[in-house]
């Protein structure tokens, strides 16, 4: 909990220095284990409230779905960053691609 608080404070200060005078910025802090910073939690609750009222669904179902979705997305992102993608990416050079472009006379 203390580490998360220090991390949130550090992130806020760092980003505020970057956008000073131009705008305000509120970082959404997520831990890789699924924890939420205070601003991220407020955003999630606000989003769940809006979705539940718009779709006429219960708030508890919507907030649990959103939290589960974010946790799995964070888990997937962490696994991909550690292990990499499973698919083999093919790198193509631009000059080797056939774009079927024809010259047009003006």
């Amino acid at each position: 909990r203390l580490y998360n608080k220090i991390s949130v404070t550090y992130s806020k200060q760092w980003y505020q220095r970057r956008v000073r005078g131009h705008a305000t910025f509120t970082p959404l802090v997520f831990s890789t284990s699924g924890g939420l910073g205070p601003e991220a939690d407020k955003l999630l609750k606000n989003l769940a409230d809006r979705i539940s009222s718009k779709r006429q669904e219960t708030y508890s179902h919507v907030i649990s779905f959103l939290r589960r979705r974010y946790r799995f997305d964070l888990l997937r992102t962490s696994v991909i960053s550690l292990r990499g993608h499973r698919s083999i990416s093919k790198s193509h050079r631009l000059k080797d691609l056939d774009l079927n472009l024809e010259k047009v006379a003006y």
Side-chain angles (χ1 to χ4, degrees):
R1 205 84 178 136
L2 177 63
Y3 175 74
N4 192 19
K5 197 173 210 178
I6 293 170
S7 175
V8 169
T9 305
Y10 176 75
S11 295
K12 277 186 177 180
Q13 290 172 353
W14 190 81
Y15 282 110
Q16 285 299 334
R17 282 194 303 267
R18 290 200 50 154
V19 297
R20 188 178 335 136
H22 301 290
T24 59
F25 182 79
T26 304
L28 299 177
V29 178
F30 297 94
S31 71
T32 55
S33 61
L36 302 170
E39 286 84 5
D41 194 36
K42 287 178 190 175
L43 173 77
L44 210 57
K45 288 178 180 178
N46 190 5
L47 186 61
D49 185 44
R50 290 181 184 209
I51 290 173
S52 66
S53 65
K54 183 176 181 179
R55 293 188 175 189
Q56 301 299 317
E57 296 182 20
T58 59
Y59 174 81
S60 60
H61 288 153
V62 174
I63 192 73
S64 65
F65 170 78
L66 288 175
R67 285 181 177 153
R68 186 173 51 248
R69 179 67 191 252
Y70 275 110
R71 286 180 178 142
F72 275 105
D73 287 344
L74 288 169
L75 177 64
R76 185 182 316 118
T77 303
S78 298
V79 169
I80 288 172
S81 69
L82 293 173
R83 177 180 50 80
H85 284 283
R86 285 188 176 190
S87 64
I88 301 171
S89 62
K90 298 177 182 177
S91 61
H92 298 286
R93 284 187 275 170
L94 189 57
K95 67 179 185 175
D96 295 336
L97 295 176
D98 182 19
L99 301 176
N100 295 325
L101 298 176
E102 298 177 11
K103 291 185 178 182
V104 177
Y106 290 101

